[in-house]
Amino acid sequence: MPTRNSTTEDKLRFSELRYRRLFEAAQDGILILDSYSGKIIDANPFLQKLLGYSEKELLGKKLWQIGVFKDIVDSKNAFVSLQTKGYIRYKDLPLETKDGRIVDVEFVSNLYNVGDLKVIQCNIRDISDRIKVERKQERTRKAMLNIMEDLESAKNAMEVAKVMDDAMLASIGEGLITVDNDGRVMSINKIAQEMLGWKLSELLGKKITNLPLEDETGQIIPFNKRPTTIALHSGQTTRASHFFVRKNKTKFPIAVTATPIKLGKQQLGLIEIIRDITYETEVDKAKSEFVSLASHQLRTPLGIAKWYLEALGNEEYIKKAPVEIQSYFSEITTSNERVLRLVGDLLSVSRIDQRRVKNAPHVIDPVNLINGVLTQMQIVAKRRKVKLNFICDNNIPSINIDSLRFHEVIENLIGNAIEYSKDRGTVDVTVNKNSNSIIISVKDRGFGISQADQKNIFTKFFRTEKAIQLNPEGSGLGLYVVKSYVEGWGGQISAKSVLDKGSTFTISLPIMIGGD
Amino acid sequence: MIKIKNDIKKILVVEDEIPYLKILNRELTERGYKVIEAANGEKGLEQAKLENPDLILLDIKMPKMDGITMLKLLRKDEVCKKTKVIILTNFEPDKKILGGVVDDKPSYYFIKSDTKLNDLITKIDKLFT
């Protein structure tokens, strides 16, 4: 250990010793080169370990002779530049180790004098870990950039799609409104704004159900019967026709289709498509009025023929006429009745379509009425050799109903059951009740209706192949009329049928039918 | 049906279709009623006031004066305001067409093409028993 009295030589030795320790313990690679020849004079253990060369392999060699530098020419040039400038620094220099690995280093070289000797000290710091991180960061950055680019192009594509959607929505001929789950307007296209007489700014965020909807008689459609409310609550597409009252109080008929917007199971709101059906309504009305007028005109001559045929039928010369004459006479009477029935059906349909169904309810005993219809139908049933059964619960209550229409409904169902029964078939008419309805079903064991036809049987003028074959003169209006009446009374009708096994038609009527 | 002379009931038929008039006249006369004819509402009202019939069979759609107008005017007449009326028409008892007269008690309603002649006569006979 040096003392305060140590000699210069001691100091020098001490300095060298300290240098040696630092040199050997350093966690950076250190190389000492002869600046003149470029040969390695010294290399510390860290560097030896870093590059995988022993001290022996390094000492006395020129840097570019040991293969750590890829480019010998560049290295020579760099050495020349270092000799002149006295300093050189590479932030990131890849070196090749003895076993062929690449290590990234920071390379700093300084030229200085040790006595007369010019040496170059190269400090070599292993930065491969940092570089690895930096490279990873760079890869991440590039990946992020790619994602951003993708997002950007997706965004652009969506913007294009949105512009196209907007253009499409603006140009379709129907009004389109979107509302949220509270029925508040989120968007409304131009057509809808023009049609309804309200501007986007006046409706945005407002409840669509605050805009007045009326029926044809001018009665406000109650909140819970509005298509928006029904669709929002049921989650089902809902269609309805009503009258819309514009901002300026004018009215026009609209057809609304409200379709829930769903994302998976979550309902986001509704799309409402609104169509102005003024023209269709007028055409329908004109058509119905024509049918109505024509039917009345037809009834006069047919009615006259009916009474004259009846009067003639009571005369002795017809009663005692030859069988052939009597059968001709009967054919004429039957045909006349058939046309009258068809005209009656057409009138009923026209009244239903014009929503002018007469409703003159009074309290009746439904069992009595059904009994009456059964008695009246016995003649036809006997002709077809069909047995009519009446099964009825006790305590069937009276109902307040238009008896003529009710008669028409029951007659129609029983008539069909007989018509489409097989010979010697049975028709069961059953009446029972539950807490708030009476249920009437008419069951035959006849030809039945195919699954495909079942959904159409309540459609106006629809007839199944079998029906056409069995009864070519039928109008296809009966069940349409029946359904319209039953639903008009707040009741329901359903049909169950199996081909070749028979059909059951069931109507349920609320015990408290409101009259108007 | 045999009727004592002074008990013969008078029926006024107001109808513009001649075939209907003819057959009703024939059938009712055969049953022992006295039939008076009128071809429209205007004539019908005249005859009603003049003859004070026991029953009026009244069509609705007629030229000059329709049945509804005639019925309304008839009900304003002191003598005829309680006269029994059967409306015979091919229109249905629609509120729009008939207004309040369907509820007018001494009136009955038949749709000609849905009604048998025999049922109509039975109804008329019943009105007088």
Side-chain angles (χ1 to χ4, degrees):
Chain A
M1 283 292 278
T3 63
R4 282 171 199 272
N5 302 320
S6 8
T7 59
T8 310
E9 199 180 321
D10 284 339
K11 279 183 186 167
L12 205 63
R13 228 182 314 128
F14 173 69
S15 171
E16 197 185 332
L17 190 67
R18 199 174 57 175
Y19 165 78
R20 210 66 230 171
R21 276 198 189 152
L22 283 172
F23 184 78
E24 274 162 18
Q27 290 304 301
D28 280 341
I30 302 168
L31 263 183
I32 308 292
L33 308 179
D34 172 3
S35 84
Y36 176 71
S37 65
K39 284 180 181 169
I40 298 168
I41 304 168
D42 210 349
N44 74 341
F46 189 88
L47 186 76
Q48 294 166 30
K49 199 180 167 199
L50 182 70
L51 298 180
Y53 291 98
S54 66
E55 190 176 25
K56 200 177 157 194
E57 283 171 311
L58 292 172
L59 295 187
K61 303 265 174 59
K62 290 184 179 173
L63 256 189
W64 49 91
Q65 286 176 328
I66 52 172
V68 291
F69 296 106
K70 290 247 151 189
D71 196 322
I72 294 168
V73 179
D74 265 6
S75 302
K76 280 183 179 170
N77 290 341
F79 184 71
V80 173
S81 157
L82 178 65
Q83 279 177 317
T84 13
K85 283 186 192 165
Y87 173 79
I88 202 162
R89 177 169 182 248
Y90 300 97
K91 274 200 228 166
D92 177 11
L93 185 71
L95 296 181
E96 193 173 331
T97 63
K98 192 180 173 188
D99 57 5
R101 283 180 303 115
I102 298 291
V103 285
D104 289 290
V105 298
E106 185 183 351
F107 194 100
V108 182
S109 299
N110 284 297
L111 182 70
Y112 56 90
N113 296 324
V114 179
D116 295 336
L117 192 63
K118 273 190 175 175
V119 293
I120 294 166
Q121 179 178 329
C122 306
N123 286 41
I124 299 161
R125 175 168 292 170
D126 180 3
I127 55 166
S128 50
D129 283 348
R130 198 187 85 206
I131 292 294
K132 255 186 218 162
V133 171
E134 276 175 8
R135 288 210 177 120
K136 202 174 168 191
Q137 278 176 341
E138 180 60 18
R139 278 200 301 273
T140 312
R141 200 180 66 86
K142 278 189 179 153
M144 289 295 288
L145 274 174
N146 283 341
I147 291 170
M148 299 265 286
E149 261 172 35
D150 288 352
L151 277 174
E152 188 64 22
S153 62
K155 194 179 138 215
N156 287 342
M158 276 172 75
E159 268 167 8
V160 169
K162 189 175 180 304
V163 168
M164 285 177 74
D165 280 354
D166 287 350
M168 193 179 75
L169 293 184
S171 63
I172 58 169
E174 286 167 349
L176 197 141
I177 302 175
T178 53
V179 300
D180 65 14
N181 279 333
D182 290 329
R184 288 180 199 282
V185 174
M186 298 197 292
S187 71
I188 170 166
N189 75 345
K190 214 169 175 185
I191 298 283
Q193 294 174 52
E194 282 164 12
M195 211 187 277
L196 306 181
W198 291 92
K199 284 184 200 144
L200 173 69
S201 57
E202 295 170 308
L203 292 181
L204 220 54
K206 304 267 165 60
K207 285 196 173 185
I208 189 93
T209 44
N210 289 343
L211 298 180
L213 272 189
E214 293 183 353
D215 66 11
E216 65 280 359
T217 65
Q219 294 283 319
I220 296 277
I221 305 295
F223 176 75
N224 61 347
K225 299 253 170 85
R226 294 179 64 115
T228 308
T229 321
I230 298 172
L232 280 175
H233 280 107
S234 66
Q236 305 278 325
T237 297
T238 306
R239 294 180 181 82
S241 301
H242 295 302
F243 282 78
F244 184 87
V245 186
R246 291 188 185 96
K247 193 179 169 188
N248 63 9
K249 303 291 174 209
T250 54
K251 287 180 204 179
F252 72 108
I254 54 169
V256 184
T257 306
T259 307
I261 313 165
K262 286 180 179 169
L263 190 64
K265 282 183 179 172
Q266 193 192 359
Q267 185 168 307
L268 304 175
L270 298 177
I271 292 180
E272 295 196 13
I273 293 173
I274 295 170
R275 205 154 53 83
D276 181 344
I277 52 166
T278 308
Y279 178 71
E280 287 94 322
T281 311
E282 275 167 8
V283 168
D284 257 16
K285 200 175 155 216
K287 191 182 74 189
S288 272
E289 277 170 0
F290 171 76
V291 171
S292 177
L293 191 73
S295 306
H296 280 120
Q297 299 289 4
L298 283 170
R299 267 183 162 180
T300 303
L302 292 166
I304 290 170
K306 179 186 172 85
W307 282 3
Y308 276 81
L309 285 166
E310 191 188 335
L312 270 179
N314 289 332
E315 295 294 338
E316 289 298 311
Y317 48 80
I318 290 292
K319 283 183 185 164
K320 289 185 178 165
V323 175
E324 202 181 3
I325 300 292
Q326 282 196 37
S327 96
Y328 286 3
F329 185 79
S330 156
E331 285 297 338
I332 296 169
T333 310
T334 315
S335 295
N336 194 59
E337 286 299 323
R338 189 191 295 154
V339 184
L340 267 173
R341 257 202 316 281
L342 177 61
V343 170
D345 282 349
L346 282 172
L347 261 175
S348 298
V349 169
S350 140
R351 266 195 305 273
I352 290 164
D353 291 350
Q354 289 181 67
R355 296 190 174 83
R356 268 179 45 193
V357 175
K358 179 204 74 129
N359 194 21
H362 53 271
V363 177
I364 57 144
D365 174 3
V367 177
N368 239 342
L369 187 138
I370 295 168
N371 245 327
V373 178
L374 282 166
T375 313
Q376 169 205 322
M377 305 298 281
Q378 283 296 350
I379 307 161
V380 196
K382 269 184 191 152
R383 202 185 306 148
R384 292 287 324 274
K385 298 186 180 110
V386 170
K387 196 178 164 222
L388 299 181
N389 290 328
F390 189 31
I391 308 129
C392 180
D393 270 7
N394 289 328
N395 307 323
I396 299 295
S398 295
I399 49 173
N400 188 29
I401 201 166
D402 184 306
S403 59
L404 273 178
R405 303 275 161 254
F406 185 50
H407 191 284
E408 200 175 330
V409 165
I410 302 299
E411 187 181 14
N412 217 307
L413 293 179
I414 299 176
N416 278 347
I418 298 170
E419 187 79 50
Y420 303 115
S421 275
K422 295 167 184 171
D423 267 2
R424 301 187 194 288
T426 316
V427 170
D428 294 334
V429 180
T430 316
V431 184
N432 39 48
K433 65 162 186 144
N434 61 26
S435 58
N436 47 20
S437 315
I438 70 166
I439 295 140
I440 303 161
S441 62
V442 179
K443 178 182 182 179
D444 66 60
R445 290 162 186 79
F447 297 97
I449 306 154
S450 74
Q451 205 70 34
D453 282 342
Q454 279 181 38
K455 55 178 180 288
N456 294 320
I457 51 174
F458 294 108
T459 311
K460 186 162 44 170
F461 298 112
F462 177 81
R463 305 207 67 216
T464 64
E465 290 284 325
K466 194 77 193 173
I468 296 168
Q469 183 193 328
L470 290 170
N471 176 17
E473 290 84 18
S475 63
L477 295 171
L479 285 175
Y480 171 74
V481 170
V482 167
K483 185 175 198 275
S484 303
Y485 287 168
V486 169
E487 289 179 352
W489 294 322
Q492 284 173 335
I493 181 160
S494 62
K496 276 185 191 164
S497 190
V498 179
L499 211 54
D500 268 330
K501 291 270 158 71
S503 310
T504 306
F505 284 83
T506 306
I507 59 174
S508 69
L509 295 171
I511 291 167
M512 300 297 293
I513 298 177
D516 66 26
Chain B
M1 182 183 277
I2 299 150
K3 302 259 178 190
I4 305 162
K5 200 164 184 205
N6 63 4
D7 195 31
I8 290 180
K9 302 288 184 192
K10 260 194 278 186
I11 300 178
L12 169 63
V13 184
V14 188
E15 169 66 75
D16 64 325
E17 292 284 342
I18 305 299
Y20 273 127
L21 267 183
K22 260 168 76 180
I23 194 152
L24 282 168
N25 194 335
R26 191 194 112 134
E27 294 291 314
L28 291 170
T29 309
E30 214 167 64
R31 304 282 288 195
Y33 295 106
K34 179 175 172 22
V35 176
I36 309 153
E37 293 181 357
N40 60 55
E42 206 176 271
K43 291 250 170 66
L45 195 63
E46 246 175 62
Q47 292 284 344
K49 286 177 179 176
L50 194 71
E51 297 275 349
N52 189 21
D54 299 288
L55 171 70
I56 300 170
L57 300 185
L58 182 61
D59 187 21
I60 290 181
K61 201 168 162 283
M62 288 181 293
K64 285 191 180 165
M65 185 193 286
D66 65 59
I68 298 303
T69 313
M70 182 191 142
L71 186 60
K72 280 179 185 158
L73 293 172
L74 192 77
R75 292 306 184 215
K76 284 181 185 158
D77 185 88
E78 268 311 304
V79 184
C80 300
K81 70 178 177 194
K82 290 278 170 68
T83 309
K84 292 184 175 77
V85 173
I86 291 180
I87 295 169
L88 281 178
T89 182
N90 280 327
F91 282 112
E92 307 232 351
D94 185 310
K95 276 186 186 160
K96 208 166 160 182
I97 298 165
L98 290 178
V101 295
V102 184
D103 304 325
D104 179 348
K105 269 292 169 200
S107 305
Y108 302 88
Y109 200 99
F110 285 98
I111 294 163
K112 283 184 276 200
S113 59
D114 283 358
T115 309
K116 276 188 175 176
L117 194 52
N118 200 37
D119 292 344
L120 175 65
I121 307 276
T122 311
K123 174 77 185 172
I124 294 170
D125 288 345
K126 266 193 185 162
L127 282 180
F128 295 120
T129 51

